[in-house]
Amino acid sequence: QVQLVESGGGLVQSGGSLRLSCAALGIAVKNYVMGWFRQAPGKAREGVSCIHSRENVTTYAASVKGRFTISRDNAKNTVYLQMSMLEPEDTAVYYCAASPIISVQSAACRAAGFYSWGQGTQVTVSS
């Protein structure tokens, strides 16, 4: 059974930083496409960043490129999202997700391409 456990969310001022962690149980993250998604109230879930199982290819949403960095620690079986220069628009529940295959959807970091999801962690950025 796959279990993804997010942590690291919280309240931060605009311009601040947070690091989210996603600890995986039941899978080896190095063999999966891993992604971070977010959902703000009244909005659809959007892909923030993904990292592929092959060659560590990474993708980022245009709104976070240059501010967020996704990484993976295979020894700890954990995926991270380092978020810097946070803005109030980044406020959302952040979810970790995993896909065992590189599909058109997962390669494009779209939620439809992911099969396993964490429970989410709240990130709130105050202005």
Side-chain angles (χ1 to χ4, degrees):
Q1 183 177 356
V2 179
Q3 189 174 0
L4 303 174
V5 181
E6 302 101 332
S7 61
L11 174 64
V12 64
Q13 289 188 331
S14 181
S17 299
L18 282 174
R19 188 177 80 157
L20 305 183
S21 299
C22 172
L25 301 173
I27 63 169
V29 296
K30 66 180 181 179
N31 296 326
Y32 279 67
V33 182
M34 301 297 298
W36 285 99
F37 296 79
R38 68 186 181 186
Q39 188 165 18
K43 295 188 177 180
R45 189 170 298 190
E46 66 168 338
V48 175
S49 182
C50 290
I51 183 167
H52 295 189
S53 52
R54 301 174 188 170
E55 301 174 351
N56 281 342
V57 172
T58 57
T59 60
Y60 294 93
S63 59
V64 307
K65 195 170 292 186
R67 300 188 298 121
F68 291 10
T69 302
I70 191 170
S71 62
R72 178 173 55 207
D73 186 330
N74 294 336
K76 295 182 178 180
N77 212 31
T78 299
V79 178
Y80 303 97
L81 185 68
Q82 177 67 49
M83 306 186 294
S84 303
M85 296 180 286
L86 283 161
E87 304 166 352
E89 292 74 23
D90 296 316
T91 295
V93 177
Y94 283 71
Y95 298 89
C96 176
S99 174
I101 59 173
I102 301 176
S103 65
V104 171
Q105 297 281 28
S106 64
C109 206
R110 297 192 190 112
F114 289 78
Y115 299 89
S116 302
W117 293 84
Q119 81 288 350
T121 185
Q122 176 70 48
V123 171
T124 303
V125 184
S126 63
S127 57

